[in-house]
Amino acid sequence: MAWIRSVLHMLWMTLTVIPWTLAVLAVSLVASRTTTWWVAVSWFRVAMWGTRVILGVRMEVLGLENLPLGKTSAAVLLSKHQSTLETLWLPTLMSHPLAFVFKRELLKVPFFGWSMARLDMIHIDRASRNVAMKHVIDQGRRLLAQGNWVIMFPEGTRIPRGEAGTYQTAGTRLAVESGAPVVPIAVATARCWPKRGFVKHAGVVRVSIGPMIESTGRDPKALMREAQAWIEAEMRCIDTEAYL
């Protein structure tokens, strides 16, 4: 049954992403980035509907009250990364347009990558770390000033369930230089949507949004250690069985 559900879900994603990509491309030619972003988010909501109904995945959210308030509030979101699911889910929870930091190769993905290319995000070449860091800070400061929230996966890649990667400091460096607070996010999406493998499973996945951590006057490395400590501790709360 899980395999059949997964096939149907893939068909749903494929059939819906094509018209939405065309809509994003068209809107981006005549409208602002903000308007184009919310058009894209409407597809994320459709994708999440399919995840709930077709795959049988139930989603629970903790800590929404920890997000900054106000139309001009800035934030750097630092999230655990386990699967594709959180990249679709998190935008539907946020009141601000997001600017993802991602590897440049994703722009080559048909339709999905083409849409991302029109959304003025931060795509980096991971082969050149120093250049990538400068690009994140320069572009991140510009996007934050425009009212976007920057979201990063500080471990740099999807991490298997129950494990931790190496947390990089690009996100906290951006926060310190821009004065934006850090918001740590723990996600337990690999319970149902694994890092690798086609088959997804019904069940409950959780995302937990932590309290804001002020960045003013902080050392980026110490700030990242604090965010990491919260994320990894919270992972053991929202997916206890993975850490037994």
Side-chain angles (χ1 to χ4, degrees):
M1 180 59 73
W3 187 86
I4 295 174
R5 285 175 177 263
S6 298
V7 170
L8 293 175
H9 182 256
M10 178 58 71
L11 290 173
W12 171 258
M13 297 280 283
T14 302
L15 291 175
T16 56
V17 74
I18 295 174
W20 252 277
T21 294
L22 297 177
V24 167
L25 295 176
V27 170
S28 69
L29 297 175
V30 297
S32 66
R33 181 197 187 274
T34 299
T35 299
T36 306
W37 167 258
W38 293 119
V39 172
V41 170
S42 66
W43 179 74
F44 294 149
R45 298 186 190 281
V46 168
M48 296 312 300
W49 181 90
T51 301
R52 288 191 300 271
V53 175
I54 300 172
L55 292 179
V57 176
R58 185 161 59 90
M59 287 154 279
E60 296 181 354
V61 183
L62 305 171
L64 277 175
E65 68 277 6
N66 290 325
L67 291 172
L69 299 175
K71 291 184 178 181
T72 60
S73 60
V76 175
L77 312 180
L78 301 180
S79 175
K80 188 77 173 178
H81 193 18
Q82 288 192 331
S83 77
T84 303
L85 179 53
E86 58 265 16
T87 64
L88 303 173
W89 185 13
L90 289 174
T92 69
L93 304 176
M94 303 301 167
S95 60
H96 281 232
L98 300 184
F100 279 86
V101 178
F102 61 93
K103 58 184 180 181
R104 187 172 297 167
E105 292 84 348
L106 291 178
L107 296 175
K108 299 178 183 179
V109 177
F111 296 103
F112 185 77
W114 303 343
S115 297
M116 293 174 73
R118 300 298 301 172
L119 289 172
D120 189 18
M121 297 199 192
I122 306 172
H123 43 89
I124 59 174
D125 180 2
R126 294 196 299 187
S128 179
R129 184 174 176 180
N130 290 336
V131 173
M133 178 76 76
K134 185 177 185 304
H135 189 63
V136 167
I137 293 173
D138 290 346
Q139 296 302 313
R141 293 181 69 171
R142 176 180 63 83
L143 289 163
L144 286 167
Q146 293 173 357
N148 305 289
W149 289 350
V150 174
I151 180 168
M152 300 182 65
F153 302 116
E155 293 163 291
T157 187
R158 291 172 294 175
I159 302 298
R161 188 180 176 203
E163 298 182 16
T166 301
Y167 282 67
Q168 305 295 331
T169 60
T172 50
R173 289 179 186 276
L174 170 61
V176 170
E177 293 208 19
S178 65
V182 164
V183 179
I185 302 175
V187 298
T189 51
R191 296 187 74 250
C192 298
W193 190 317
K195 173 184 176 181
R196 291 191 176 88
F198 174 75
V199 177
K200 287 84 174 175
H201 303 278
V204 179
V205 296
R206 297 179 178 90
V207 59
S208 182
I209 301 167
M212 286 189 297
I213 307 172
E214 293 298 331
S215 64
T216 305
R218 296 292 304 273
D219 172 68
K221 292 182 179 180
L223 182 56
M224 181 55 77
R225 285 195 296 270
E226 184 175 346
Q228 177 182 352
W230 187 92
I231 292 170
E232 293 301 326
E234 188 68 6
M235 289 300 300
R236 286 158 173 77
C237 296
I238 64 175
D239 192 12
T240 305
E241 63 190 58
Y243 294 88
L244 294 177

